[in-house]
Amino acid sequence: MFAKSTLLPAFIAMLLAIGFGNVMSFMALYGVECGIGNDIGLFFTVNALLMLLSRPLMGSLADKHGLVKVLIPSLICYVATFLIIGAASTLPVLLVAAVLLAFGYGAAGPMIQTYCMKCVPPDRRGVGSSAYYIGVDIGNLIGPVVAGGIVGEIGYRPMWDLMVIPVVVAFALVLAFRKRIDSVERAVLEER
């Protein structure tokens, strides 16, 4: 049902999903608070279109240069996303955040999924995929529940700023386990 080798990438996936789940849950309400109204839908459109570009582009770069080397800039973009959202009050600024989100979570999520799949032998890829999605589902559960409480107590802007914390923890884990991630990639390449 679960492979211990997928615990790290599943946990990182959970941390990253916490923030993304909040974007999906609260951005429309935040747009109303900022006076943007229905035009906030453009945030989601720009983000989705650029994810179509960022995922194959960043995946190709990860194949060429390694997961960690591409994951680090993606996580930096993801951190910047929340800082910009927290400071934004106009649609153009939020659209900048939508672009960064596409190259942040839009790229980091699939790279972590790839890492999860590389942590298991080919005959256990179903377990690897399941572990990744369990992490994402837990993050999507935890994020909006915690963020809803934060919004109720101190408002949207501080909540967005606090969403940097799980991403920074994920970033620290990637750096701390960089050699392990690289060794998993090398082992997969040697199998081919």
Side-chain angles (χ1 to χ4, degrees):
M1 295 281 298
F2 201 83
K4 282 194 322 187
S5 59
T6 62
L7 284 175
L8 175 63
F11 185 68
I12 292 171
M14 180 201 73
L15 291 169
L16 299 180
I18 287 171
F20 189 72
N22 291 332
V23 171
M24 296 297 112
S25 298
F26 293 105
M27 185 55 72
L29 296 170
Y30 185 58
V32 170
E33 182 177 281
C34 290
I36 296 167
N38 292 335
D39 290 342
I40 197 64
L42 193 54
F43 174 92
F44 297 103
T45 303
V46 167
N47 180 250
L49 288 172
L50 285 172
M51 277 191 186
L52 289 173
L53 171 70
S54 72
R55 288 181 172 173
L57 173 66
M58 300 303 270
S60 176
L61 288 171
D63 287 343
K64 188 179 288 186
H65 302 288
L67 274 175
V68 173
K69 288 182 181 173
V70 181
L71 195 53
I72 288 172
S74 294
L75 293 175
I76 291 169
C77 285
Y78 198 26
V79 166
T81 297
F82 292 112
L83 296 175
I84 290 172
I85 292 173
S89 57
T90 65
L91 183 60
V93 175
L94 286 172
L95 293 181
V96 170
V99 171
L100 289 171
L101 182 62
F103 285 90
Y105 183 78
M111 282 189 266
I112 294 300
Q113 183 178 22
T114 298
Y115 174 43
C116 215
M117 300 298 280
K118 288 179 177 182
C119 287
V120 292
D123 63 329
R124 304 252 320 165
R125 295 276 160 84
V127 171
S129 178
S130 175
Y132 170 78
Y133 283 109
I134 287 170
V136 169
D137 291 342
I138 292 170
N140 284 331
L141 171 71
I142 292 170
V145 170
V146 171
I150 294 169
V151 168
E153 291 296 318
I154 57 177
Y156 283 105
R157 291 182 191 279
M159 181 272 291
W160 294 120
D161 292 339
L162 289 171
M163 287 306 108
V164 168
I165 294 169
V167 182
V168 169
V169 172
F171 188 86
L173 288 171
V174 168
L175 292 178
F177 291 96
R178 178 185 193 129
K179 289 181 181 175
R180 181 193 295 182
I181 297 168
D182 288 341
S183 70
V184 166
E185 279 196 290
R186 277 193 304 275
V188 170
L189 288 173
E190 289 169 6
E191 286 176 11
R192 294 181 187 166

